[in-house]
Amino acid sequence: MKTLLLTGFEPFLSFTINPTMRIVEELNGQEIGGYKIQGEILSVDFKKAGKQLLEHLETIKPDAVISLGLAGGRFKMTPERIAINVNDGEPDNSGNTPVDEAIQPEGADGYMSTLPIRAMVNQLKEAGLPAEISNTAGTYLCNHVMYQSLHYAKTHNKKMPSGFIHIPASHELAIQHGKIPSWSHEDLKRGIYTCIQVLAEHE
Ligand code: PCA
């Protein structure tokens, strides 16, 4: 059976809950469309997240990678199209504040997702879940992790579909946070389950 590395993130900034954590914890160990899910939670830390991801890639040797992140304020589930070679943004959980820094000084300017993002969006909508392709993953930790896994696949010559899906807040988070749109945990989890099925069907 093939292995899918599914990553989520810990809470960060004003978001006291990261809904990706519960999704990853609950899907960990499940079999979906021929993939055994291996779930891991990454730190919101520019100095740690890439190393953690690399360790998981080397120990788990996954056949595919889907990383998840919270996009507080987005209304839809949004598979990302591209990761860019930039670290920038708000302070991370350790207070690092890189400015216009390259993730990989010798790396490509950007990498396109190698997940079937168009088919994922179509299938999400078919399943009754609002979705669209996002053309920017930002320059914070989500973009960082997406870039790192695609860079790893490219430089290690691995045919390992990789990419990133940003999700809206859960109701649980929205109650604590205030004015952000939210989905039920069940719908968020069903959305990610659907995306994994689409990936499995596309091979
Ligand atoms: N979202 C942030 C980092 C962690 C997360 O879940 C982002 O969009 O970069």
Side-chain angles (χ1 to χ4, degrees):
M1 173 160 302
K2 292 190 288 189
T3 306
L4 175 92
L5 172 60
L6 182 69
T7 71
F9 275 112
E10 61 185 11
F12 63 103
L13 294 172
S14 62
F15 305 111
T16 49
I17 293 169
N18 195 323
T20 63
M21 284 179 79
R22 191 165 157 208
I23 297 170
V24 168
E25 280 158 15
E26 290 182 9
L27 294 182
N28 182 37
Q30 286 200 30
E31 291 175 18
I32 306 172
Y35 275 111
K36 174 98 175 173
I37 310 302
Q38 171 87 38
E40 299 289 348
I41 304 301
L42 304 175
S43 302
V44 176
D45 182 318
F46 281 107
K47 296 204 170 120
K48 290 188 190 153
K51 284 187 198 141
Q52 291 168 344
L53 180 78
L54 200 71
E55 264 180 45
H56 296 318
L57 292 173
E58 306 230 296
T59 52
I60 298 165
K61 299 190 176 22
D63 299 285
V65 185
I66 297 182
S67 294
L68 306 179
L70 164 69
R74 278 195 196 166
F75 292 85
K76 298 182 179 181
M77 194 159 270
T78 47
E80 295 293 342
R81 192 190 300 275
I82 187 166
I84 60 174
N85 194 4
V86 179
N87 284 332
D88 197 294
E90 300 287 302
D92 68 16
N93 286 355
S94 301
N96 299 303
T97 52
V99 176
D100 303 339
E101 185 187 277
I103 299 172
Q104 293 283 349
E106 307 297 324
D109 289 344
Y111 288 111
M112 304 285 264
S113 176
T114 50
L115 298 176
I117 54 171
R118 178 64 62 191
M120 285 176 171
V121 164
N122 290 342
Q123 193 55 43
L124 284 165
K125 290 196 280 192
E126 193 71 25
L129 298 170
E132 68 187 359
I133 290 175
S134 161
N135 294 314
T136 176
T139 53
Y140 198 50
L141 265 299
C142 293
N143 173 73
H144 180 94
V145 159
M146 178 176 174
Y147 186 94
Q148 295 281 31
S149 61
L150 287 161
H151 182 73
Y152 179 88
K154 184 80 177 178
T155 52
H156 291 73
N157 239 335
K158 295 220 188 282
K159 274 206 174 72
M160 179 182 76
S162 311
F164 201 94
I165 303 173
H166 262 123
I167 67 168
S170 59
H171 295 328
E172 203 187 358
L173 170 60
I175 287 167
Q176 291 198 14
H177 188 274
K179 280 190 181 171
I180 45 174
S182 58
W183 286 25
S184 70
H185 165 71
E186 288 66 32
D187 279 349
L188 289 171
K189 186 170 149 189
R190 186 160 65 90
I192 298 309
Y193 194 100
T194 301
C195 289
I196 298 171
Q197 280 179 324
V198 170
L199 171 64
E201 281 161 17
H202 259 250
E203 286 158 6

